Amino acid sequence: MQRTLLLAKIHNCTLTGANINYVGSISIDQVLLDKAGILPYEQVQVVNNANGKRFITYAIPADANSGIIELNGAAARLGIMGDRLIIMAYGQFTSEELKNYSPTVVIVDEKNRLLEVRYYDDLLTKV
């Protein structure tokens, strides 16, 4: 049996733009994708903290160290510049894989610059 669990998230990033005329997806700074382990074209769930909207799309890389987090296509209607987002990727795991598993959490500042990479098990012990 496999279970679907959180694989990684980019926590509390800032939406830098919205492009309704793009084909679709969410553009994410390549550095943040790499640190989270999210691949180009991988499915992600996006949560907009400002308006409560949740939606699924796919990630595409933006220039490294650009700080870009941009909603594209129809998703561009689900946020405005300055909104704070959580971007999450999920994975399917076997019971064996879960024995040494902890989701990756990428923490950024208000300009989407990498502050640190943590693991959920570490974060939960500090709550």
Side-chain angles (χ1 to χ4, degrees):
M1 175 175 71
Q2 292 191 324
R3 293 182 161 206
T4 302
L5 284 85
L6 179 68
L7 177 64
K9 74 175 181 174
I10 302 170
H11 186 72
N12 210 26
C13 57
T14 303
L15 183 60
T16 60
N19 183 352
I20 193 73
N21 295 315
Y22 192 84
V23 176
S25 68
I26 183 169
S27 302
I28 303 171
D29 183 313
Q30 181 69 60
V31 170
L32 303 181
L33 288 176
D34 290 344
K35 293 297 183 180
I38 298 172
L39 299 174
Y41 313 112
E42 185 170 357
Q43 178 177 298
V44 292
Q45 180 180 39
V46 181
V47 178
N48 187 327
N49 289 335
N51 62 24
K53 303 270 185 186
R54 290 177 171 258
F55 55 94
I56 294 173
T57 188
Y58 60 93
I60 61 170
D63 291 341
N65 296 307
S66 65
I68 290 174
I69 302 288
E70 183 175 270
L71 297 178
N72 301 308
R77 298 195 183 276
L78 301 175
I80 59 172
M81 282 181 55
D83 284 356
R84 301 306 286 253
L85 308 177
I86 300 171
I87 302 167
M88 297 167 284
Y90 297 88
Q92 294 192 350
F93 301 88
T94 65
S95 296
E96 189 64 31
E97 290 171 319
L98 290 174
K99 290 180 180 176
N100 296 308
Y101 162 78
S102 183
T104 302
V105 181
V106 173
I107 300 172
V108 299
D109 67 11
E110 67 282 347
K111 294 188 179 187
N112 299 325
R113 293 178 297 217
L114 178 68
L115 292 176
E116 64 181 309
V117 177
R118 302 289 301 271
Y119 297 93
Y120 242 111
D121 288 347
D122 295 337
L123 291 171
L124 293 176
T125 60
K126 299 184 189 297
V127 175

